[in-house]
Amino acid sequence: MTDVFMLLGAPNKTAVQSKMENVILFETELANITTPQEDRRDERKMYHKMTLANLIRDYPRSTLCAHALPRILNDYMLWHLVGDFASLLSKPFREAKQKFHEILTGTKGNEDAWYTCISDTDSVLGFAVGALFVEETFKGGSKEKAKEMIENVRTAFTDNLPNLDWMDDATRAAALDKANAVTDMIGYPNYILDHAKLDKKYEDLKINKSDYFNNNLAYTQYIFKKSYEKLRKTPLNEWAMSPPTVNAYYTPSKNTIVFPAGILQAPFYDQNFPKSLNYGAMGVVMGHELTHGFDDQGREYDKYGNMKSWWGADAVKKFKQKSQCMIDQYNNFELHGEHERGKQTLGENIADNGGLKSAYNVWCWNSKPESDHMQILTDPHSPPKFRVIGTLSNSEDFNKEFKCKSSAKMNPKKKCEIW
Ligand SMILES: [Zn+2]
């Protein structure tokens, strides 16, 4: 932090250092009064709709800001502004920022030119790059094939609902209704193949071939403007990920699952792969996203995406008991002597377990201790190793297929299962 300000021409290193120490102390205080990560999954604790007038009345100035010196608040804001833009500057700035990153995560981050060029272009012009990408890679009925797999995974999920002895019939009917109402977005948004529409999307963004820093400023302004344009308008089914992205997501407020073209490729999916491989990889991802609609967060939303309870009281009680089994199980997993956080990762673990089960029924990670620690602190997903051990040790099908002994570690007596 000090290095960045010295590069900007600060006259006195000791003075900068003490300012930055105060910034860290201030940030630590902020972190301590922030709702802990594991409680942030509780929508009812996080969502407080209020008018602007009530916000100003109830929170005129937060206690912390009221007692922090204006000087510290000023340094805090300055660091965030400068720190965010330092990695877009010349090499000495980038190296200073890299040092900071390395202390936090244990890795230097990828500074290779090809990586920076590709990831920056994808994050700024992802739908234009995506149009080229899908023209090249997403053909031969890929969308239809993905759709068919989703339907098979959905059927496996709904077929299992009658087997859930912890659920009353009314809640079960509502769960079936919600599962059938889940909409999907596959591959890419159609407008990207229409050049006029694509040009229209980016018409306010001015990119200059030789001005990397100002291009980034222009993009920041562009994205702010686009966000403000959405204010008080009906939300559209926009894509939160670009077509080449190797990832997928579920949006509870729309009850929609989304699979960009990037993940509908090998090693996740290939039309020449045997079904076992396609369902073992892509099918599990599809089941994972579908099950998010029924995890501790997703279950709070109805089939229309409104935060509204559709559960019987007894089913909620039993869901919470079953969830506690999974919280306790994942709390017991240890990485570098640190326990993973079962409550924080509950939604992802429910989705991993439900996803694996649904995908199986259709068909009868270079880490450093610092980044692992960071993941345990902040990531809603369990560390990759436990995403495998957790789901498979809960799977009766896995144990049966691999003939695990009753004493085997992957076949614990106490298994957790929700969906
Ligand atoms: Zn997930």
Side-chain angles (χ1 to χ4, degrees):
M1 291 164 84
T2 307
D3 288 354
V4 170
F5 281 100
M6 294 310 290
L7 285 162
L8 281 170
N12 183 325
K13 192 169 179 176
T14 322
V16 175
Q17 214 152 10
S18 107
K19 275 172 184 286
M20 290 304 111
E21 273 160 18
N22 282 328
V23 167
I24 291 174
L25 284 177
F26 178 69
E27 268 203 27
T28 309
E29 281 188 66
L30 268 182
N32 288 340
I33 59 163
T34 302
T35 306
Q37 196 74 25
E38 60 177 36
D39 291 338
R40 302 181 74 82
R41 304 193 48 74
D42 187 336
E43 303 283 25
R44 284 163 213 283
K45 278 189 188 166
M46 296 303 295
Y47 185 66
H48 306 288
K49 195 176 172 186
M50 64 177 78
T51 62
L52 193 56
N54 285 352
L55 176 75
I56 295 165
R57 185 197 65 202
D58 295 344
Y59 305 93
R61 280 182 88 198
S62 81
T63 326
L64 182 62
C65 286
H67 84 245
L69 295 170
R71 184 170 48 76
I72 298 178
L73 288 176
N74 185 60
D75 293 339
Y76 168 76
M77 287 170 71
L78 199 60
W79 159 248
H80 277 278
L81 179 72
V82 169
D84 282 353
F85 285 103
S87 43
L88 308 173
L89 292 169
S90 55
K91 202 158 189 198
F93 282 96
R94 296 204 307 273
E95 281 172 354
K97 200 61 204 293
Q98 206 176 28
K99 221 162 93 185
F100 181 76
H101 189 264
E102 198 175 347
I103 291 164
L104 271 181
T105 66
T107 59
K108 287 193 161 104
N110 197 335
E111 263 257 311
D112 293 348
W114 71 265
Y115 181 84
T116 308
C117 292
I118 287 178
S119 56
D120 279 16
T121 312
D122 180 51
S123 63
V124 174
L125 296 161
F127 291 91
V129 175
L132 301 171
F133 176 78
V134 300
E135 275 166 18
E136 191 67 36
T137 61
F138 204 65
K139 31 190 177 193
S142 303
K143 214 166 187 161
E144 291 71 25
K145 279 178 192 133
K147 179 82 188 157
E148 189 190 318
M149 277 183 82
I150 291 175
E151 288 316 321
N152 288 340
V153 170
R154 189 202 310 262
T155 304
F157 182 86
T158 54
D159 278 357
N160 185 53
L161 289 173
N163 303 330
L164 305 175
D165 57 7
W166 55 275
M167 193 172 247
D168 62 86
D169 287 342
T171 308
R172 195 189 322 272
L176 174 67
D177 214 20
K178 182 172 177 176
N180 284 329
V182 173
T183 52
D184 50 64
M185 302 199 318
I186 303 166
Y188 56 92
N190 287 332
Y191 78 86
I192 67 169
L193 298 184
D194 180 331
H195 290 194
K197 285 185 183 157
L198 198 55
D199 283 347
K200 179 98 187 119
K201 178 181 170 70
Y202 292 111
E203 71 181 349
D204 293 335
L205 178 62
K206 302 283 175 261
I207 300 281
N208 179 319
K209 220 158 115 183
S210 57
D211 197 346
Y212 181 67
F213 185 78
N214 278 313
N215 282 343
N216 277 283
L217 283 188
Y219 177 64
T220 305
Q221 286 167 344
Y222 165 81
I223 214 73
F224 268 107
K225 188 169 168 262
K226 288 269 174 207
S227 299
Y228 290 135
E229 279 169 4
K230 290 179 198 163
L231 197 62
R232 297 192 181 93
K233 293 212 178 107
T234 309
L236 300 167
N237 265 353
E238 286 185 337
W239 286 65
M241 288 176 185
S242 71
T245 309
V246 185
N247 207 341
Y249 64 96
Y250 168 75
T251 311
S253 59
K254 298 198 178 92
N255 200 22
T256 296
I257 47 178
V258 185
F259 305 96
I263 199 167
L264 293 159
Q265 317 273 328
F268 286 97
Y269 172 82
D270 189 285
Q271 52 181 315
N272 299 318
F273 280 177
K275 272 190 173 174
S276 56
L277 278 187
N278 280 337
Y279 278 98
M282 197 59 226
V284 171
V285 177
M286 288 167 166
H288 173 108
E289 301 309 338
L290 179 69
T291 310
H292 267 315
F294 303 87
D295 71 14
D296 56 327
Q297 259 180 332
R299 71 166 198 87
E300 303 266 11
Y301 294 80
D302 67 10
K303 65 174 181 172
Y304 302 110
N306 294 320
M307 215 170 106
K308 202 173 145 195
S309 178
W310 50 271
W311 293 62
D314 195 51
V316 173
K317 207 172 121 198
K318 290 191 175 128
F319 176 88
K320 288 188 173 163
Q321 283 165 359
K322 287 186 160 285
S323 298
Q324 194 57 45
C325 170
M326 218 168 257
I327 294 173
D328 296 341
Q329 180 186 40
Y330 281 76
N331 271 342
N332 275 327
F333 292 140
E334 258 181 77
L335 200 58
H336 314 302
E338 187 174 33
H339 281 275
E340 88 126 302
R341 300 182 175 194
K343 201 173 160 196
Q344 176 182 306
T345 58
L346 177 62
E348 295 299 339
N349 298 331
I350 291 177
D352 281 347
N353 280 276
L356 174 85
K357 188 169 167 177
S358 293
Y360 181 85
N361 286 344
V362 175
W363 195 77
C364 172
W365 161 47
N366 202 13
S367 77
K368 290 267 192 301
E370 290 89 341
S371 57
D372 290 343
H373 171 65
M374 187 73 103
Q375 185 182 14
I376 283 176
L377 286 181
T378 61
D379 200 314
H381 301 86
S382 292
K385 179 175 167 185
F386 303 130
R387 293 185 76 172
V388 175
I389 294 176
T391 50
L392 294 177
S393 65
N394 284 334
S395 170
E396 292 289 3
D397 300 315
F398 174 83
N399 279 291
K400 213 165 77 198
E401 234 26 83
F402 287 86
K403 302 184 177 56
C404 300
K405 288 192 183 121
S406 60
S407 56
K409 212 176 156 185
M410 287 299 285
N411 188 15
K413 248 192 204 89
K414 193 172 172 191
K415 293 187 171 55
C416 303
E417 184 186 66
I418 302 179
W419 295 101

